[in-house]
Amino acid sequence: MQFRIVALDVLEANLVAPTQELPKQIMFQFDVNLEHRWNTNDNIFIVVTTVSIFSDKKEHTLAKFKTNTVFQIEDLSNYVDTENSKVNMPTDVILDINELAISTTRGSLFYFLKGTYLHNAVLPIIDQTIPVN
């Protein structure tokens, strides 16, 4: 199965000024959400990645960043059940696509936060390992 990244769109980039100065040794908390969308006519598969950054105790939202990572996948219609809105790609391909979307978003987020009070809020590497039962 062949795929490639064809675009990255920043959909949302918000900073929320903290109500008080952030501690020097703060451990930021991150929520990451992935959503899959597709257009089988154009062989386009989109991963919408939303990252919210919180203070160390998740008391305050400090930023929200949302991207579209757009992939072109050959014969996408063979891997998508449009009637039931289900993706039937091999698990390893979905994990690779998700990893690329998260990594691309991580780089964009780092660039967006550079020089701000969240300069050190670097999205960590996310282990997508699926537990074997």
Side-chain angles (χ1 to χ4, degrees):
M1 181 174 207
Q2 293 187 0
F3 60 87
R4 64 187 179 105
I5 296 176
V6 294
L8 171 71
D9 303 308
V10 176
L11 302 177
E12 183 177 344
N14 293 311
L15 287 174
V16 179
T19 56
Q20 56 190 356
E21 188 173 334
L22 297 175
K24 297 262 188 240
Q25 300 300 322
I26 188 169
M27 295 293 293
F28 296 102
Q29 300 292 317
F30 298 87
D31 279 348
V32 178
N33 183 48
L34 301 177
E35 178 185 342
H36 296 146
R37 299 179 183 171
W38 53 82
N39 176 334
T40 54
N41 293 331
D42 295 329
N43 289 323
I44 296 296
F45 190 82
I46 301 169
V47 180
V48 180
T49 307
T50 305
V51 178
S52 297
I53 304 172
F54 301 92
S55 58
D56 55 352
K57 296 176 184 166
K58 283 196 169 183
E59 295 170 335
H60 302 94
T61 302
L62 301 172
K64 186 173 180 185
F65 195 75
K66 185 184 239 184
T67 63
N68 272 349
T69 307
V70 183
F71 296 86
Q72 187 169 44
I73 301 177
E74 286 185 22
D75 302 318
L76 180 61
S77 61
N78 295 335
Y79 304 102
V80 175
D81 178 356
T82 52
E83 285 185 27
N84 296 309
S85 296
K86 291 192 176 194
V87 177
N88 298 317
M89 287 185 224
T91 302
D92 60 330
V93 172
I94 288 290
L95 292 176
D96 287 347
I97 287 172
N98 287 346
E99 183 178 313
L100 286 168
I102 292 169
S103 295
T104 303
T105 300
R106 179 184 298 109
S108 299
L109 182 60
F110 181 79
Y111 179 78
F112 173 68
L113 297 176
K114 185 177 178 182
T116 72
Y117 60 91
L118 294 176
H119 180 82
N120 294 321
V122 178
L123 181 64
I125 294 172
I126 297 171
D127 181 9
Q128 297 184 82
T129 305
I130 296 176
V132 178
N133 293 331

